Each structure stands twice: as C-alpha cells, then as structure tokens.
Amino acid sequence: MAGERIRLFAALDLPEEVRGALVRWRAPLLAAEPRLLRPVASDALHVTLCFLGQVDAAEAGAIGAAVVASAGGDAPGGLAGEPGPVPGLALADALWLPRRAARVLAVELVDAGGALARLQARVAGALTAGGWFEPEARPFLPHVTVARVRARGNERAARELAAAPLPGVPSLAFDGAAVTLYRSHLGGGGARYEPLARADLR
C-alpha cells in the first residue's frame, strides 16, 4: 500500500508586529469586498520560500532537518548557511498575483541587502539536493499573501477589483524571525498550517 502523501512548504515567519500591521491594512479592503476576498488567518501570514507540494509523509523528518540546517548552518548539498536574523526587510507595495489573472492579494517585501534571497537559495538548494523540490524557472519574488480571491462565479468582479488602485502599505522595517517547514491541511474554511520543524533566526 502506498504511503501517506502530505502537502509541505518552507516559509519565513513574520514578527507579530508585521502580521498585525498587515491585518490592519487589509481590513478596509476585506470590509468592502467580503464576498470576493477571503483573508489569510493572521497567524498564517508568512513568506513562502519553497512550495514542495505532495510528498511522502515518511520523508517529513529528513525534509525538516534539511530546512533547519540550510536556514542556520551547513546545508545538505554543500551550501553554507548564515546563522542569525535576516535583516533589511520591509513591507513594500501591494500587488495582485498572478498579475494577469488575480487570485491572491499580496504585499511585496523589500530585501535591501539580499539576505532573504540568499536564504531562499540555500533552502531551495538543500531541498533540491534531497530530491524533494524542483526550482521554479521564475525568479524568487518575496511577498506575503494576505487574502485570496473567490474568483469562481466572480470573474468580472475580480477583474474590476484588480484594476482598481490599491491603498499604500505602511512603511515597516523588520528582521526575519524564523524559517519553518509547514504541513498544509486543506479544508472548506481555507488551509490550516501545521509547523513540523523550525529554525529560529533571532
């Protein structure tokens, strides 16, 4: 009998004050479009580094170890880690993704010194070396998904919403808090994220 398959992704966790600022910023948008936008839970706001999709549950321990090692030590595949915080991050502009057919409302991040991009490359390299991840062709775009578009049956409204200007995002600088391997449990009320392994960056 085939083993259990589970849905995994590695993410940069955000400090509480950043998640709070994003929740306050999106509140008027959600209030104006309650039938069109479904919020991501406050404690689930994160920056996806690598989305693995469905993997064998028996591999979760090894995947978690690779994520932790690559985030704060010597990573599998010979990629040296950089222990400590990920500095130079800040909230930037809001945007709809994908850009041609909006499915999520996101806030892009400024990665002033490139520390987040280097972290993502290390994590991706470790997971690729283990055979669990296939790197995407498009470059890494650091962002936080704050709401999802209920597009089914609302295509026209979604297009009109995506064409309207978005309010400015509060200027807030911060350091990355932690890198976590999450299991995503899908359900009718939206995904629930279960942490499986974590590397504290502070």
Side-chain angles (χ1 to χ4, degrees):
M1 185 172 69
E4 181 188 8
R5 305 286 289 178
I6 59 177
R7 184 181 171 96
L8 300 181
F9 66 92
L12 177 78
D13 294 330
L14 299 171
E16 183 178 354
E17 62 269 23
V18 176
R19 289 186 279 112
L22 289 171
V23 168
R24 290 188 295 272
W25 171 81
R26 74 183 181 185
L29 293 169
L30 296 177
E33 298 288 349
R35 295 185 178 181
L36 195 58
L37 294 176
R38 175 167 53 84
V40 175
S42 172
D43 60 359
L45 295 171
H46 64 269
V47 181
T48 299
L49 301 176
C50 297
F51 178 72
L52 282 70
Q54 299 284 345
V55 302
D56 190 333
E59 299 281 348
I63 294 171
V67 168
V68 170
S70 59
D74 288 337
L79 296 172
E82 295 177 357
V86 177
L89 304 180
L91 299 180
D93 296 329
L95 69 164
W96 297 100
L97 295 173
R99 299 179 191 272
R100 292 186 177 182
R103 291 197 295 270
V104 301
L105 173 62
V107 172
E108 193 172 355
L109 297 188
V110 173
D111 181 19
L116 181 55
R118 292 192 295 273
L119 170 65
Q120 192 275 337
R122 294 199 309 274
V123 174
L127 294 174
T128 301
W132 303 299
F133 178 68
E134 184 174 342
E136 298 183 14
R138 59 188 175 185
F140 173 58
L141 175 67
H143 67 276
V144 184
T145 295
V146 298
R148 301 189 182 279
V149 179
R150 307 177 198 265
R152 183 173 298 178
N154 298 304
E155 289 80 2
R156 180 176 177 181
R159 287 195 300 270
E160 292 175 352
L161 182 63
L166 287 165
V169 179
S171 178
L172 183 61
F174 62 96
D175 293 345
V179 171
T180 302
L181 176 69
Y182 284 101
R183 177 179 179 179
S184 176
H185 297 268
L186 300 180
R192 177 176 61 85
Y193 303 142
E194 175 191 358
L196 300 183
R198 175 170 290 151
D200 194 337
L201 302 178
R202 290 167 294 185

